[in-house]
Amino acid sequence: AKACGRNNFQFFTSEMQHKVTQTLDLENRLRHALDRNEFFLTYQPQVDIASGRIIGLEALLRWQPEGQPLVLPGQFIAIAEETGLIVPIGEWVLRQACHQLHHWHQSGLLAEEVSMSVNLSVRQLENKSLLSTLDSILKETGLKPSQLELEITESAVMKDPEVAVSVLRTINQLGIQVSLDDFGTGYSSLSYLKILPLDVLKIDRSFVNDIGGDPSHEAILQAIVTLSKNLNLRVVAEGVETEAQLTFLRKLHCHSIQGYFISKPKSAEQIEALLRTARHG
Ligand code: C2E
Ligand code: CA
Ligand code: CA
Ligand code: CA
């Protein structure tokens, strides 16, 4: 703003100015959030439809600035990506999630085959030190590569498909699982499904939402499940909120689900409580 001079602000309406001020304020607070320990993770179970067992957990980031209301990712991930802050924040998420899963394995609360899914921003994917970061986090936490799953959105892949394909290949060769998030919402062509080293497809919740409504969405759901089977991919339906949706997905032979019907994202303490009751009751 210095270079443009103060007078430029004359062109802003007060509403625009308010927005800019708010964004700058959020950005400033975000810069200090890591140092101030204001982040924490919640975890949402992924459940195998046939057995009802938890097969994985997705780590979902939360920001609790001191003396302020809780901030959800929708309000700060975009700014974290624009500023590059997502790289150190994402590294914190990876480390925290891996430590937590290893702890739950060690304490016997979760079976060894239960994996942890972590969302990866395209900025992290483009970052030169990603692979060494992943390597040291796995060594540090004692987690096996196969116990970690990285979720990358279809739109992130499409920003720079060449880079994405090459980095994801290396990640996959390390034994880390790769999951394509929000599938069906981006513009990716199906041909990328052949090139990308994928283990999992996550069907976007907009399709699940429309079960019982839009018949064309039901047809798309069926097609995605069939496609996944043919490509040897596990398929997770996101955003399952009702028994009717679960029943429909079971009929399609969808492998697994995630959503409020099973559990909302929960804090580590809440997850432990849930696992203890599941084990004993
Ligand atoms: P996502 O990866 O698609 O995560 C699923 C989102 O859907 C989560 O929102 C989750 O709370 C919500 N959800 C789960 N089940 C249901 C359901 O049954 N109904 C409805 N209506 N919603 C459900 P959340 O936690 O607010 O996260 C939003 C997005 O922020 C995530 O979407 C992901 O793209 C991003 N995100 C979250 N944590 C991280 C992170 O650590 N790193 C990065 N790069 N992105 C993150
Ligand atoms: Ca995700
Ligand atoms: Ca998703
Ligand atoms: Ca999403």
Side-chain angles (χ1 to χ4, degrees):
K2 244 185 256 161
C4 319
R6 296 178 80 176
N7 290 338
N8 285 22
F9 281 103
Q10 287 172 354
F11 298 112
F12 284 124
T13 64
S14 66
E15 197 186 316
M16 280 163 83
Q17 188 161 0
H18 182 67
K19 261 240 150 76
V20 171
T21 314
Q22 265 193 330
T23 306
L24 285 176
D25 177 51
L26 194 72
E27 186 180 319
N28 281 329
R29 291 194 286 128
L30 200 55
R31 282 188 195 285
H32 301 289
L34 262 186
D35 293 338
R36 292 181 181 157
N37 250 317
E38 293 177 339
F39 291 117
F40 68 98
L41 293 183
T42 58
Y43 303 91
Q44 190 178 34
Q46 299 174 344
V47 167
D48 179 283
I49 294 183
S51 69
R53 288 225 179 106
I54 294 180
I55 53 170
L57 295 163
E58 178 176 2
L60 293 160
L61 185 58
R62 298 290 180 263
W63 178 21
Q64 180 61 77
E66 210 184 309
Q68 306 250 13
L70 182 78
V71 194
L72 291 171
Q75 298 165 267
F76 70 87
I77 291 286
I79 294 176
E81 288 184 330
E82 278 160 31
T83 54
L85 287 166
I86 194 67
V87 174
I89 294 171
E91 181 173 339
W92 179 86
V93 172
L94 276 164
R95 183 169 279 111
Q96 181 74 14
C98 289
H99 271 293
Q100 185 62 75
L101 182 66
H102 186 65
H103 172 73
W104 283 334
H105 284 157
Q106 291 284 293
S107 60
L109 271 177
L110 283 176
E112 292 279 314
E113 61 268 18
V114 177
S115 59
M116 181 64 75
S117 298
V118 176
N119 292 287
L120 203 69
S121 153
V122 67
R123 296 293 296 264
Q124 291 173 275
L125 204 66
E126 291 165 349
N127 193 275
K128 295 274 177 293
S129 53
L130 176 67
L131 294 167
S132 64
T133 300
L134 285 170
D135 191 55
S136 44
I137 287 174
L138 288 174
K139 288 205 174 98
E140 221 174 273
T141 57
L143 217 63
K144 286 185 208 133
S146 62
Q147 292 166 329
L148 175 63
E149 188 175 298
L150 297 179
E151 297 193 355
I152 179 104
T153 63
E154 209 182 353
S155 47
V157 167
M158 293 317 290
K159 276 197 186 127
D160 192 343
E162 264 174 56
V163 171
V165 168
S166 115
V167 178
L168 291 176
R169 278 213 178 123
T170 315
I171 286 174
N172 204 237
Q173 277 158 7
L174 292 174
I176 295 170
Q177 303 190 64
V178 178
S179 170
L180 194 59
D181 206 352
D182 299 349
F183 185 71
T185 57
Y187 294 97
S188 85
S189 79
L190 291 176
S191 60
Y192 275 101
L193 290 180
K194 281 192 303 192
I195 311 170
L196 285 168
L198 295 176
D199 302 285
V200 183
L201 270 193
K202 293 190 81 172
I203 305 177
D204 191 71
R205 73 163 185 267
S206 55
F207 297 103
V208 175
N209 240 329
D210 280 342
I211 292 173
D214 190 338
S216 68
H217 272 191
E218 291 189 357
I220 293 174
L221 264 178
Q222 169 78 80
I224 297 175
V225 173
T226 307
L227 180 75
S228 313
K229 294 248 151 93
N230 291 339
L231 292 169
N232 248 325
L233 302 173
R234 270 191 296 126
V235 57
V236 182
E238 290 191 293
V240 177
E241 293 182 357
T242 67
E243 176 126 49
Q245 291 168 346
L246 168 59
T247 305
F248 184 83
L249 290 161
R250 183 184 282 123
K251 265 193 238 147
L252 292 186
H253 301 290
C254 174
H255 181 258
S256 50
I257 56 166
Q258 186 180 339
Y260 295 170
F261 183 66
I262 302 294
S263 164
K264 289 201 167 181
K266 288 174 186 287
S267 69
E269 295 73 28
Q270 290 172 317
I271 288 285
E272 286 179 12
L274 181 106
L275 294 173
R276 290 218 170 81
T277 27
R279 214 170 38 161
H280 300 296

